[in-house]
Amino acid sequence: MSETSAENQEMASLNAAKKQLRTAMKHKLKGISHESIVSQSSTAHSTLKTLSAYVNAKRVSIFLSMPSGEIQTDGIVRDALAAGKEVFIPYLHKNPVPAPGLPARVMDMVRLRDLADYESLQPDKWGIPSLDPATVPQRQRVFGGPDAQHSDSTLLDLVLMPGVAFDAHPDNGAIRRLGHGKGFYDYFLYRHGLKAGSLGQRESPVLLLGLALSEQFLSPSEGAVPVGPLDQPLDGLVLGSGEVRGPLAPPANKTD
């Protein structure tokens, strides 16, 4: 078997394992009550506010939640805006430079102006509050500019990330994440790193912090999150139980 054939087979096996876990998690998450999601979201929010990674972040990206199956981030967005942080939210659009091997759709992070701006967002077909595309050119963006909003020099301090399932690497405690399979965050973080380098920073300064319901964290007995070379580990994970996992966990809270 050639090296290329072996790599293709390995990738096919990885994708099959990810698909199988996504299917299993979909059934598992359907069984979580709305009351539990609300309670876990409140607990995760309270814990997040105690972490220095969040407290010290000036520019933070926050995913806007689906109505079910994940931590609800409405309270976090409101808290971050009230604290004077620059809050950025995901915006999906066609790749402006399409090419073979590159995704047709990509993700940028676009800044909310204020609370009224956030409350004006309308839900998309998945129930996720979404920006009006017509307003994006006038907003500060990670991959925009040069413009009056200084988008060309914008980098994030913290990215709060969703996921389908998470676990901790048994050796170093790094958080492994299974996303929804579109690769939006992977490609965004790759581009963010390139931009940081172009601005003279040797390493991207951004910290990656997952938010998850307790049911989304896999124990060793439940198996492992399958990851490949393009899957970037997270610096930490806040669970709906209030527990913090990974390198960003406070010393007294670390269990890895």
Side-chain angles (χ1 to χ4, degrees):
M1 181 183 295
S2 69
E3 184 176 342
T4 301
S5 297
E7 290 176 352
N8 290 340
Q9 185 174 352
E10 185 177 344
M11 184 58 67
S13 297
L14 174 64
N15 289 337
K18 288 183 175 183
K19 183 177 180 180
Q20 184 177 15
L21 181 55
R22 287 190 187 100
T23 299
M25 291 301 300
K26 181 178 180 180
H27 292 297
K28 183 178 184 180
L29 295 175
K30 278 185 177 179
I32 305 174
S33 69
H34 175 71
E35 291 74 18
S36 177
I37 291 174
V38 170
S39 175
Q40 291 194 55
S41 297
S42 177
T43 299
H45 180 194
S46 297
T47 299
L48 177 68
K49 290 193 294 183
T50 69
L51 298 181
S52 59
Y54 174 76
V55 172
N56 297 331
K58 295 180 179 179
R59 290 177 177 159
V60 56
S61 160
I62 306 174
F63 69 93
L64 301 186
S65 309
M66 296 183 292
S68 62
E70 63 184 3
I71 291 291
Q72 302 297 292
T73 57
D74 175 74
I76 298 172
V77 173
R78 293 174 183 275
D79 177 80
L81 288 170
K85 299 183 186 296
E86 296 181 17
V87 176
F88 291 73
I89 61 173
Y91 173 67
L92 305 180
H93 61 93
K94 290 183 179 179
N95 192 337
V97 286
L102 295 181
R105 286 173 60 79
V106 294
M107 182 171 70
D108 199 352
M109 294 295 177
V110 181
R111 186 180 176 186
L112 291 172
R113 298 188 182 102
D114 51 31
L115 181 59
D117 184 31
Y118 168 61
E119 292 180 337
S120 74
L121 301 182
Q122 298 300 308
D124 63 13
K125 62 182 179 181
W126 294 283
I128 302 171
S130 299
L131 291 164
D132 178 354
T135 70
V136 170
Q138 288 77 48
R139 295 176 181 269
Q140 185 178 5
R141 297 166 282 158
V142 171
F143 299 126
D147 54 26
Q149 292 79 32
H150 305 291
S151 295
D152 51 327
S153 62
T154 297
L155 292 171
L156 300 174
D157 300 317
L158 176 67
V159 177
L160 300 182
M161 297 178 64
V164 176
F166 303 83
D167 75 350
H169 192 288
D171 296 329
N172 58 22
I175 299 301
R176 299 183 291 203
R177 167 184 173 268
L178 177 71
H180 291 276
K182 302 297 184 181
F184 290 127
Y185 275 93
D186 295 328
Y187 193 56
F188 171 83
L189 293 171
Y190 169 73
R191 295 171 70 201
H192 190 275
L194 290 179
K195 182 176 180 180
S198 73
L199 294 174
Q201 301 194 24
R202 294 182 62 183
E203 296 183 4
S204 175
V206 69
L207 293 174
L208 310 179
L209 186 61
L211 301 177
L213 300 168
S214 295
E215 292 85 350
Q216 292 179 286
F217 186 77
L218 303 182
S219 66
S221 63
E222 294 176 297
V225 170
V227 293
L230 299 180
D231 295 311
Q232 188 165 339
L234 308 189
D235 299 293
L237 178 69
V238 178
L239 294 171
S241 62
E243 185 179 3
V244 183
R245 292 284 191 135
L248 284 183
N253 191 262
K254 285 189 177 181
T255 58
D256 300 313

PDB file of all heavy atoms in Angstrom, residues 20-32:
ATOM      1  N   GLN A  20     -19.677   8.344  13.860  1.00  0.00           N
ATOM      2  CA  GLN A  20     -20.327   7.428  14.796  1.00  0.00           C
ATOM      3  C   GLN A  20     -20.557   8.094  16.150  1.00  0.00           C
ATOM      4  O   GLN A  20     -21.632   7.955  16.756  1.00  0.00           O
ATOM      5  CB  GLN A  20     -19.481   6.174  14.953  1.00  0.00           C
ATOM      6  CG  GLN A  20     -20.111   5.111  15.844  1.00  0.00           C
ATOM      7  CD  GLN A  20     -19.266   3.847  15.919  1.00  0.00           C
ATOM      8  OE1 GLN A  20     -18.099   3.845  15.545  1.00  0.00           O
ATOM      9  NE2 GLN A  20     -19.837   2.767  16.400  1.00  0.00           N
ATOM     10  N   LEU A  21     -19.551   8.840  16.636  1.00  0.00           N
ATOM     11  CA  LEU A  21     -19.692   9.512  17.928  1.00  0.00           C
ATOM     12  C   LEU A  21     -20.725  10.629  17.847  1.00  0.00           C
ATOM     13  O   LEU A  21     -21.503  10.828  18.787  1.00  0.00           O
ATOM     14  CB  LEU A  21     -18.344  10.054  18.392  1.00  0.00           C
ATOM     15  CG  LEU A  21     -18.336  10.769  19.752  1.00  0.00           C
ATOM     16  CD1 LEU A  21     -18.920   9.878  20.849  1.00  0.00           C
ATOM     17  CD2 LEU A  21     -16.918  11.203  20.120  1.00  0.00           C
ATOM     18  N   ARG A  22     -20.741  11.367  16.744  1.00  0.00           N
ATOM     19  CA  ARG A  22     -21.749  12.434  16.597  1.00  0.00           C
ATOM     20  C   ARG A  22     -23.156  11.846  16.662  1.00  0.00           C
ATOM     21  O   ARG A  22     -24.055  12.422  17.287  1.00  0.00           O
ATOM     22  CB  ARG A  22     -21.551  13.183  15.275  1.00  0.00           C
ATOM     23  CG  ARG A  22     -20.341  14.097  15.252  1.00  0.00           C
ATOM     24  CD  ARG A  22     -20.338  14.994  14.016  1.00  0.00           C
ATOM     25  NE  ARG A  22     -19.086  15.739  13.957  1.00  0.00           N
ATOM     26  CZ  ARG A  22     -18.055  15.408  13.184  1.00  0.00           C
ATOM     27  NH1 ARG A  22     -18.149  14.356  12.374  1.00  0.00           N
ATOM     28  NH2 ARG A  22     -16.953  16.120  13.201  1.00  0.00           N
ATOM     29  N   THR A  23     -23.358  10.704  16.011  1.00  0.00           N
ATOM     30  CA  THR A  23     -24.678  10.064  16.017  1.00  0.00           C
ATOM     31  C   THR A  23     -25.063   9.634  17.427  1.00  0.00           C
ATOM     32  O   THR A  23     -26.191   9.857  17.878  1.00  0.00           O
ATOM     33  CB  THR A  23     -24.678   8.844  15.077  1.00  0.00           C
ATOM     34  OG1 THR A  23     -24.381   9.274  13.747  1.00  0.00           O
ATOM     35  CG2 THR A  23     -26.040   8.155  15.097  1.00  0.00           C
ATOM     36  N   ALA A  24     -24.111   9.044  18.148  1.00  0.00           N
ATOM     37  CA  ALA A  24     -24.381   8.612  19.521  1.00  0.00           C
ATOM     38  C   ALA A  24     -24.691   9.800  20.422  1.00  0.00           C
ATOM     39  O   ALA A  24     -25.612   9.750  21.254  1.00  0.00           O
ATOM     40  CB  ALA A  24     -23.186   7.827  20.065  1.00  0.00           C
ATOM     41  N   MET A  25     -23.936  10.902  20.250  1.00  0.00           N
ATOM     42  CA  MET A  25     -24.149  12.082  21.083  1.00  0.00           C
ATOM     43  C   MET A  25     -25.480  12.754  20.757  1.00  0.00           C
ATOM     44  O   MET A  25     -26.143  13.303  21.644  1.00  0.00           O
ATOM     45  CB  MET A  25     -23.001  13.070  20.900  1.00  0.00           C
ATOM     46  CG  MET A  25     -21.669  12.605  21.471  1.00  0.00           C
ATOM     47  SD  MET A  25     -21.738  12.260  23.252  1.00  0.00           S
ATOM     48  CE  MET A  25     -22.217  13.879  23.881  1.00  0.00           C
ATOM     49  N   LYS A  26     -25.879  12.716  19.507  1.00  0.00           N
ATOM     50  CA  LYS A  26     -27.162  13.310  19.119  1.00  0.00           C
ATOM     51  C   LYS A  26     -28.299  12.665  19.895  1.00  0.00           C
ATOM     52  O   LYS A  26     -29.185  13.347  20.419  1.00  0.00           O
ATOM     53  CB  LYS A  26     -27.374  13.148  17.617  1.00  0.00           C
ATOM     54  CG  LYS A  26     -28.669  13.758  17.102  1.00  0.00           C
ATOM     55  CD  LYS A  26     -28.796  13.592  15.589  1.00  0.00           C
ATOM     56  CE  LYS A  26     -30.096  14.199  15.075  1.00  0.00           C
ATOM     57  NZ  LYS A  26     -30.233  14.031  13.597  1.00  0.00           N
ATOM     58  N   HIS A  27     -28.269  11.341  20.004  1.00  0.00           N
ATOM     59  CA  HIS A  27     -29.313  10.631  20.761  1.00  0.00           C
ATOM     60  C   HIS A  27     -29.193  10.934  22.254  1.00  0.00           C
ATOM     61  O   HIS A  27     -30.199  11.110  22.948  1.00  0.00           O
ATOM     62  CB  HIS A  27     -29.206   9.132  20.507  1.00  0.00           C
ATOM     63  CG  HIS A  27     -29.553   8.724  19.104  1.00  0.00           C
ATOM     64  ND1 HIS A  27     -30.804   8.904  18.560  1.00  0.00           N
ATOM     65  CD2 HIS A  27     -28.800   8.164  18.124  1.00  0.00           C
ATOM     66  CE1 HIS A  27     -30.825   8.462  17.311  1.00  0.00           C
ATOM     67  NE2 HIS A  27     -29.612   8.015  17.022  1.00  0.00           N
ATOM     68  N   LYS A  28     -27.978  11.013  22.745  1.00  0.00           N
ATOM     69  CA  LYS A  28     -27.757  11.272  24.172  1.00  0.00           C
ATOM     70  C   LYS A  28     -28.264  12.665  24.556  1.00  0.00           C
ATOM     71  O   LYS A  28     -28.933  12.832  25.594  1.00  0.00           O
ATOM     72  CB  LYS A  28     -26.267  11.155  24.482  1.00  0.00           C
ATOM     73  CG  LYS A  28     -25.901  11.325  25.955  1.00  0.00           C
ATOM     74  CD  LYS A  28     -24.400  11.136  26.144  1.00  0.00           C
ATOM     75  CE  LYS A  28     -23.997  11.199  27.613  1.00  0.00           C
ATOM     76  NZ  LYS A  28     -22.536  11.023  27.788  1.00  0.00           N
ATOM     77  N   LEU A  29     -27.972  13.661  23.722  1.00  0.00           N
ATOM     78  CA  LEU A  29     -28.335  15.038  24.052  1.00  0.00           C
ATOM     79  C   LEU A  29     -29.835  15.286  23.945  1.00  0.00           C
ATOM     80  O   LEU A  29     -30.365  16.193  24.599  1.00  0.00           O
ATOM     81  CB  LEU A  29     -27.573  16.004  23.141  1.00  0.00           C
ATOM     82  CG  LEU A  29     -26.040  16.002  23.317  1.00  0.00           C
ATOM     83  CD1 LEU A  29     -25.389  16.907  22.286  1.00  0.00           C
ATOM     84  CD2 LEU A  29     -25.661  16.433  24.723  1.00  0.00           C
ATOM     85  N   LYS A  30     -30.514  14.497  23.133  1.00  0.00           N
ATOM     86  CA  LYS A  30     -31.967  14.646  23.018  1.00  0.00           C
ATOM     87  C   LYS A  30     -32.670  14.365  24.334  1.00  0.00           C
ATOM     88  O   LYS A  30     -33.766  14.860  24.581  1.00  0.00           O
ATOM     89  CB  LYS A  30     -32.503  13.700  21.936  1.00  0.00           C
ATOM     90  CG  LYS A  30     -32.378  14.222  20.517  1.00  0.00           C
ATOM     91  CD  LYS A  30     -33.043  13.269  19.531  1.00  0.00           C
ATOM     92  CE  LYS A  30     -32.983  13.806  18.111  1.00  0.00           C
ATOM     93  NZ  LYS A  30     -33.620  12.867  17.138  1.00  0.00           N
ATOM     94  N   GLY A  31     -32.034  13.571  25.179  1.00  0.00           N
ATOM     95  CA  GLY A  31     -32.658  13.185  26.437  1.00  0.00           C
ATOM     96  C   GLY A  31     -32.468  14.177  27.570  1.00  0.00           C
ATOM     97  O   GLY A  31     -32.964  13.946  28.680  1.00  0.00           O
ATOM     98  N   ILE A  32     -31.759  15.275  27.324  1.00  0.00           N
ATOM     99  CA  ILE A  32     -31.504  16.261  28.381  1.00  0.00           C
ATOM    100  C   ILE A  32     -32.651  17.262  28.419  1.00  0.00           C
ATOM    101  O   ILE A  32     -33.004  17.863  27.398  1.00  0.00           O
ATOM    102  CB  ILE A  32     -30.167  16.997  28.148  1.00  0.00           C
ATOM    103  CG1 ILE A  32     -29.029  15.986  28.014  1.00  0.00           C
ATOM    104  CG2 ILE A  32     -29.884  17.963  29.291  1.00  0.00           C
ATOM    105  CD1 ILE A  32     -27.706  16.625  27.649  1.00  0.00           C
TER     106      ILE A  32
END
